[in-house]
Amino acid sequence: MTMSRISASLLAMVGLVAAAMAWRLGIWTSGQPGPGLFPFATGILLSATAIFSAIQTRNPEDGDGPVDFRRLGQYAVAIIGFGIAMKPLGTLIATFGLIGGVLRFIEDRSRGHAFAVAVVLAGLSWGIFRYLLGVPLPPGFMEIQ
């Protein structure tokens, strides 16, 4: 078994454990999403993705490529920056900045592509969390609620 399959199997188990723990929090209560809905969905998604990854890795000779620590560090900085920017800038702007910045500067996409994807995904995620799930999100200096 390759290291990729071992890692994917461990991640699948972590996802299933997280989903089981989230189930106990309540997925849906009183006609609205419960506190366990998002962790449950995340755990199931993690498990499904990990299982798909383990199945997809067929040839043990392919091996695991070297880790690009520079790129990994860039992603870490982007995620930390997102967490720091969330309160002062607000969810919508911070999410736009995270997605646009990652696509443009880490993934080397064109400005137009990065901008379009960032606008759509930031708007969708904000709308889903704010209106569908009823999560109170940080409005930031523009007071976007």
Side-chain angles (χ1 to χ4, degrees):
M1 185 176 269
T2 65
M3 190 55 108
S4 295
R5 284 194 173 157
I6 292 170
S7 299
S9 299
L10 290 173
L11 282 174
M13 285 189 276
V14 167
L16 290 174
V17 168
M21 292 171 66
W23 185 268
R24 286 188 262 157
L25 293 174
I27 304 300
W28 203 265
T29 56
S30 303
Q32 63 185 10
L37 178 64
F38 186 69
F40 177 78
T42 304
I44 294 298
L45 184 61
L46 174 63
S47 294
T49 305
I51 290 168
F52 179 75
S53 176
I55 292 169
Q56 189 177 12
T57 306
R58 294 184 187 151
N59 188 359
E61 294 172 1
D62 289 343
D64 297 327
V67 175
D68 185 355
F69 287 106
R70 180 176 174 268
R71 193 170 186 183
L72 186 62
Q74 290 173 326
Y75 272 100
V77 168
I79 291 169
I80 291 168
F82 173 71
I84 293 170
M86 180 81 81
K87 189 168 184 174
L89 297 180
T91 304
L92 192 59
I93 295 172
T95 305
F96 172 81
L98 171 70
I99 295 168
V102 164
L103 289 175
R104 179 69 184 123
F105 300 110
I106 300 175
E107 295 298 327
D108 200 29
R109 304 290 183 186
S110 70
R111 286 185 190 126
H113 177 85
F115 179 81
V117 171
V119 165
V120 169
L121 291 181
L124 278 174
S125 67
W126 179 76
I128 287 169
F129 281 99
R130 177 73 178 107
Y131 295 107
L132 184 63
L133 299 175
V135 176
L137 300 170
F141 71 93
M142 292 182 68
E143 297 294 324
I144 299 173
Q145 295 189 9

